[in-house]
Each structure stands twice: as structure tokens, then as C-alpha cells.
Amino acid sequence: QRRADVRPLPAVVMGLSGGGVVLPAVLARDPSRFVAAVEIAGGADSLRLAWKSSYREMIDAVRFTWLRPKSGGAATTSRTKLVQHNDVSAKYESYTPTDAELDSFADAYLRHATLDGARAGVLLKAIPSLFVVASDDSAVPSAMSDQLWNLAGKPERWVVGGGHEILFMTLNWHTTKLIDWIDKTVKASSTSTSTSTSAGKSAGPATAGVQGK
């Protein structure tokens, strides 16, 4: 947005790991801006993903504190009151939620989180998309990656054997192939745009001087 020389060019949105998790939100903010998407080790359903990720404890990536009233203590439902009175430790105790409690909370979150991949991921159907995933990912659990891929309409997907770390340690091996995919996809999009505007209208600067690299 800040560079006038870049702004007219076709844009491809790419997200890696956590960036892949928020990629659908970026796309939802401005869906007409991007001609293609590259999802590398991303996933949907952010709350469940963060809770189930091996990185939650391995590298202390995310911290959850679940609280419930102590026996005999009156529950305070207002978050503001909790902060103002600083009575969390006096009235509440931490605990590990049951699967049913977690599912209930995650479902409530998704009802309001319209930009989460579990809801915005369907926008990937509208543009050519490429998924690059690990076969046995526990950092971004494979089930969440599969969920996003299904929502995207099961586009082209490259599967790298191993876990999250192996995927990124070897990602440079796939750089040329990735660039080729982006080049081919952007050029195909430009050709399609030119064809659809051939009835006396200019395709505009977005299709001129396409540079995929």
C-alpha cells in the first residue's frame, strides 16, 4: 500500500505457520486484492489449534488459565470486577477443563470469530490456492490443516514427510518450485483478466509487467 510501483501488481497472499493460521483473516479483509494464496503449515479453528498444539508447552507459545470458583466462594462474572478487586486468587482456582468444556468454549468463540479460518477459510475457494503441509504436524495439528484445506475446496497440496520443524528446515528445497507455481498462477490469472476485458476495455495496470519473483 505504501509503494506506488508495487500497488498495481497482482498480489499473492502467503502465510507460514502462525501466518498461515491468520491468512484467511487477511484475505477476508480485502478479498479482491489477491489473485492467489499459498498456505504453508497453516490451519483453522484457532482456539482448539492453540490448545492442542505441541508448542503450547514445548516452547510456551500460548498460555491458558482456566478458572472456576473455589468451593464456598461467590463467583464474580465481570472481568472488570476481577481486575478492579484483584480477588482472583481469593475466589478462583485454576483447573484443566474437560473436553466437553473446551469444545463448548471453542464453539462459542467460533460463533463470534468470523475471521477465523474455520469460517473465513471458504474464501480460498475463490482464488487458486496451494497448501504445503507436513505429514505429521503436531505444532499446527494436521487435523486443523486438513480442516482448512477442505474448506478451501481441496486445492493443490504438497505433503512433506515429517513434522512442523522438518517442513521448515527443508522449505528452501521447494523454493524454486514455489516460485514457479506463483509465476504460473499469476500469469494465468492475468491472461484470464485480459480475456474478460477484451471487449474494448483495458485490463489495467494490475495485468501489466507481471513479476512473480
Side-chain angles (χ1 to χ4, degrees):
Q1 296 299 324
R2 296 176 180 175
R3 289 183 53 185
D5 58 326
V6 173
R7 196 179 307 122
L9 298 177
V12 176
V13 59
M14 177 183 291
L16 296 81
S17 191
V21 175
V22 301
L23 185 150
V26 175
L27 184 58
R29 289 291 189 183
D30 192 2
S32 63
R33 177 71 180 93
F34 304 102
V35 300
V38 179
E39 266 281 3
I40 302 178
D45 201 348
S46 301
L47 189 78
R48 286 187 177 90
L49 188 157
W51 178 256
K52 295 181 178 182
S53 172
S54 60
Y55 280 10
R56 180 167 65 92
E57 295 183 354
M58 182 188 301
I59 62 172
D60 199 20
V62 182
R63 294 184 182 182
F64 288 89
T65 301
W66 298 82
L67 300 175
R68 63 185 175 192
K70 290 181 177 179
S71 299
T76 303
T77 57
S78 169
R79 182 177 178 86
T80 302
K81 289 182 180 178
L82 287 176
V83 174
Q84 289 179 346
H85 296 293
N86 196 28
D87 59 356
V88 174
S89 60
K91 293 185 178 181
Y92 291 84
E93 62 184 1
S94 62
Y95 77 108
T96 300
T98 65
D99 289 342
E101 287 175 316
L102 177 60
D103 283 336
S104 177
F105 184 71
D107 289 342
Y109 153 78
L110 284 178
R111 285 195 293 271
H112 297 278
T114 57
L115 296 179
D116 189 280
R119 296 184 62 181
V122 294
L123 295 173
L124 288 164
K125 285 185 176 181
I127 57 176
S129 299
L130 171 66
F131 277 60
V132 184
V133 303
S135 63
D136 189 24
D137 200 329
S138 61
V140 177
S142 295
M144 277 68 181
S145 175
D146 289 344
Q147 181 182 359
L148 184 57
W149 180 65
N150 284 315
L151 287 168
K154 297 183 177 181
E156 183 174 352
R157 180 167 66 169
W158 304 347
V159 180
V160 176
H164 198 77
E165 298 79 14
I166 294 296
L167 170 58
F168 285 99
M169 288 170 63
T170 61
L171 191 59
N172 63 309
W173 298 354
H174 309 285
T175 300
T176 300
K177 189 178 177 182
L178 275 168
I179 292 173
D180 288 344
W181 185 92
I182 293 172
D183 274 344
K184 179 180 176 180
T185 303
V186 169
K187 289 174 182 176
S189 173
S190 299
T191 300
S192 175
T193 302
S194 297
T195 301
S196 66
T197 58
S198 60
K201 295 182 179 180
S202 170
T207 61
V210 176
Q211 296 291 327
K213 298 182 181 181

